[in-house]
Amino acid sequence: MPTEINLAPLDALQEGELRAFPIPNDGPEVLLVRHQGQYRAFAAHCPHYGAPLEKGRLVQGQIVCPWHHACFNATDGSLCEPPALDALPTFMVREAEGRVYVLVPGNPPASTDKPDETPTAEVGGAPVPTAPNLAAAQSTIVIVGGGAAGQMAAQTLREEGFAGRVVLVSADAAAPYDRTKLSKAYLAGKAKPESLPLREADFYAKHHIELLTNTRATGLDLEKKQVLLADAAPLSYDQLLLALGGTPNSLPKLPGHDLQNVLLLRTQADADALLKAAKEVRHVVIIGSNFIGMEAASSLAGQDGRTVTVIAQEKEPFEKVLGPEVGKMFRTMHQEKGVQFEAEAEVAELTGQNGRVAGVRLKSGKDLPADLVVLGVGVRPATDFLKETFQLEKDGGLQVDEYLQAAPNIYAAGDIAHFPATTGDTLRIEHWRVAQQHGRLAARNLLGQQVPYTAAPYFWTQQYGKSLRYAGHAEQWDDIHYLGDVAKQDFLAFYVQDGQVKAAAGMNHDPDMIYIEALLAANKMPAPADISEETNWQHLANQ
């Protein structure tokens, strides 16, 4: 039975304030929000990874998660932006006699506060509406790609009331899962396999989404409107979404690349193979200092007495993305945990013994012991089978318009899409949250809504429990403007090109990064000269 709780005095919160209140008798916390002069009550933790939402912020009528910037409507809790997949559970509120009363169900939906142990989206957010009766449905939408964009698109089609056939084609053997955990908690042994799926096992059948795993697309027939499949009959579509993701670079020209224990990290199967191999080795070498490589180093370092060495072409990790000063901070953080670095180095060959990798030889002639090598040298768009159908970009990506449309009845989302940004730039972004945003948007546009992509790209990385947030996109910059102390992991960095802030990164400034992302999305960032320690980001974002 629901219980009405006398939660707080009527003057407990100021306009725009968020605060969590405990419920008596070990009940779940309730998040109280004051918005437009009224109180609203919600589950206190984000249904994505369980972040405490009272540490988030209210921006333009949306509750924004402090960790990964999932957004929820402050009136009804509906999902506005991923990476959450569910709406925020809401509770009825009554204001009387100078008090705020909240009606809490006997078994209220509530999200987890243990993100490494609980499946990402199985924690009690508002359920997707029941699938419609498909008996009279004629239209078929096919989604190729079972990653972040494809999963979100399939879900959104049902949320938006599409009553036709939805087919989700995935080359992966597993149902869609949270790939962001693989190089972090999963590789570190903190997250279990059952924490990876994005949805419960019966989700797809319940919502009449035909999930074809272990199914690889091999071509398109535009005239017949068919997707060609390996080892299966062609799949006909009325509309098509290409959410193909990326293929990791495997360095096929590197001598020794095919030795045993030379591994990639892209899929759950890759992570499982890496975990198994890591239990039996003493020397791990990671080729590449990108985010996957560095997160893998963070997860593998200090375990079972093994050594970890990172080989980087740049002087500092992330130098081309975050700049040398932030890169140096990350390198120092890793070195303090025992990770060794070979900077400005190139690999000549991988040496082996009895068919198994035994070492890495650098072009300088230096030999490194290695009984496990992880290739973390980036990915490329998984578009090889589209070469005969589309004129692809030089990097293998596919050009789309602001609605993510690539051709009549065909849309593209996620890692493969070259899309126009609100800044006037054309971008291709390999971020999990961007892929989810694309999938959600493409689904709506497949249904004729004509919604342009206007969000600011956002990503995060976590290493040794320290998190960096990044909003916007700057492939190059003229200057980096810093506030705070980078070496102490307490800073904001602004990436400036042609007098305009294109992107920002921050550590230990989560509230500021929420507002900065909103300003970047709205093209309202202040001029670099006007940014200082005194800048009121909340005021600017809510104007």
Side-chain angles (χ1 to χ4, degrees):
M1 290 289 294
T3 302
E4 188 173 69
I5 304 297
N6 184 342
L7 197 69
L10 202 56
D11 61 355
L13 302 184
Q14 300 296 315
E15 175 68 23
E17 189 177 356
L18 316 172
R19 191 187 305 172
F21 290 82
I23 297 298
N25 302 320
D26 296 323
E29 287 185 311
V30 169
L31 180 75
L32 202 60
V33 178
R34 190 163 186 173
H35 176 53
Q36 296 179 340
Q38 292 186 311
Y39 280 101
R40 311 283 180 176
F42 305 92
H45 292 271
C46 179
H48 175 230
Y49 274 15
L53 290 174
E54 70 173 348
K55 294 186 178 181
R57 291 295 184 269
L58 188 64
V59 182
Q60 299 294 335
Q62 295 182 8
I63 300 167
V64 186
C65 168
W67 292 355
H68 307 123
H69 293 198
C71 302
F72 309 92
N73 188 292
T75 300
D76 61 9
S78 58
L79 179 66
C80 300
E81 290 285 359
L85 302 181
D86 297 307
L88 188 62
T90 61
F91 307 127
M92 290 184 62
V93 173
R94 181 171 67 93
E95 299 177 18
E97 301 169 348
R99 304 289 299 180
V100 179
Y101 296 85
V102 176
L103 191 66
V104 180
N107 186 25
S111 53
T112 180
D113 58 1
K114 298 178 180 179
D116 294 337
E117 298 179 7
T118 306
T120 302
E122 300 175 16
V123 291
V128 176
T130 303
N133 185 343
L134 305 184
Q138 300 295 322
S139 180
T140 297
I141 294 179
V142 172
I143 302 166
V144 183
Q151 187 281 331
M152 181 60 88
Q155 168 182 316
T156 304
L157 288 171
R158 291 300 186 224
E159 288 175 342
E160 294 290 325
F162 177 64
R165 184 185 180 200
V166 177
V167 186
L168 180 57
V169 180
S170 177
D172 204 298
Y177 53 88
D178 187 349
R179 187 174 286 121
T180 68
K181 283 186 177 178
L182 295 181
S183 58
K184 304 180 183 74
Y186 192 68
L187 197 59
K190 297 178 181 178
K192 304 304 180 184
E194 55 269 23
S195 78
L196 293 180
L198 291 171
R199 286 299 189 187
E200 292 176 329
D202 64 349
F203 175 88
Y204 302 96
K206 184 186 298 183
H207 297 287
H208 293 260
I209 297 168
E210 300 174 43
L211 176 60
L212 306 180
T213 57
N214 255 336
T215 304
R216 187 173 298 279
T218 59
L220 287 183
D221 187 325
L222 296 182
E223 185 175 346
K224 294 182 179 179
K225 297 178 74 173
Q226 290 183 331
V227 180
L228 308 182
L229 303 175
D231 305 319
L235 184 58
S236 297
Y237 64 85
D238 293 293
Q239 295 193 90
L240 175 66
L241 173 60
L242 299 170
L244 307 172
T247 298
N249 295 321
S250 58
L251 303 182
K253 295 183 179 180
L254 177 66
H257 74 278
D258 53 352
L259 289 166
Q260 184 181 346
N261 271 15
V262 178
L263 302 177
L264 301 167
L265 180 54
R266 177 69 178 178
T267 67
Q268 182 178 351
D270 293 336
D272 288 339
L274 187 51
L275 277 169
K276 181 179 179 181
K279 292 178 180 179
E280 304 171 354
V281 303
R282 292 187 59 195
H283 303 290
V284 178
V285 172
I286 298 172
I287 301 177
S289 61
N290 60 16
F291 289 99
I292 291 295
M294 296 295 285
E295 288 173 0
S298 169
S299 297
L300 293 171
Q303 295 184 25
D304 303 321
R306 72 173 72 97
T307 66
V308 176
T309 302
V310 174
I311 299 174
Q313 289 188 331
E314 300 82 16
K315 183 177 180 180
E316 303 292 357
F318 313 132
E319 187 171 335
K320 293 181 179 179
V321 178
L322 300 175
E325 193 165 345
V326 177
K328 180 181 178 181
M329 178 272 296
F330 272 106
R331 174 175 56 79
T332 301
M333 182 194 305
H334 278 262
Q335 288 175 327
E336 289 173 348
K337 298 294 184 178
V339 176
Q340 302 172 37
F341 277 84
E342 293 290 338
E344 298 179 291
E346 292 188 55
V347 178
E349 65 174 317
L350 306 180
T351 59
Q353 186 174 359
N354 300 322
R356 178 171 175 164
V357 70
V360 177
R361 180 163 296 152
L362 304 181
K363 288 188 175 180
S364 66
K366 184 175 182 178
D367 287 307
L368 304 174
D371 35 22
L372 172 61
V373 171
V374 182
L375 300 181
V377 288
V379 301
R380 64 184 188 281
T383 54
D384 287 350
F385 75 92
L386 299 179
K387 290 179 180 178
E388 303 301 320
T389 309
F390 294 103
Q391 183 175 348
L392 302 176
E393 300 298 311
K394 290 182 179 180
D395 63 0
L398 182 61
Q399 187 71 46
V400 299
D401 64 15
E402 67 268 37
Y403 307 110
L404 304 181
Q405 188 166 11
N409 302 308
I410 298 178
Y411 290 73
D415 292 5
I416 73 169
H418 280 261
F419 63 94
T422 56
T423 58
D425 303 310
T426 297
L427 307 177
R428 187 179 71 81
I429 305 289
E430 297 170 359
H431 299 168
W432 178 263
R433 184 173 183 257
V434 170
Q436 289 182 306
Q437 290 172 320
H438 276 189
R440 183 176 170 88
L441 188 74
R444 296 170 66 186
N445 290 336
L446 282 162
L447 302 180
Q449 295 185 25
Q450 290 292 92
V451 182
Y453 181 80
T454 59
Y458 171 82
F459 75 84
W460 66 93
T461 184
Q462 186 177 58
Q463 298 169 41
Y464 306 109
K466 303 291 186 178
S467 294
L468 176 134
R469 324 283 183 200
Y470 181 100
H473 187 75
E475 292 187 0
Q476 53 188 358
W477 54 81
D478 305 319
D479 186 32
I480 305 176
H481 180 58
Y482 297 98
L483 299 178
D485 192 327
V486 174
K488 293 182 179 179
Q489 301 154 19
D490 184 5
F491 68 92
L492 290 170
F494 301 91
Y495 299 84
V496 180
Q497 185 181 24
D498 297 329
Q500 180 183 1
V501 175
K502 294 283 189 176
M507 295 183 75
N508 201 33
H509 282 261
D510 289 354
D512 292 335
M513 288 301 298
I514 290 174
Y515 297 127
I516 289 167
E517 184 200 340
L519 290 166
L520 285 165
N523 263 335
K524 293 183 177 179
M525 277 294 289
D530 296 330
I531 295 174
S532 70
E533 299 282 1
E534 285 71 42
T535 299
N536 188 329
W537 298 107
Q538 179 180 8
H539 175 73
L540 292 174
N542 283 298
Q543 282 184 327

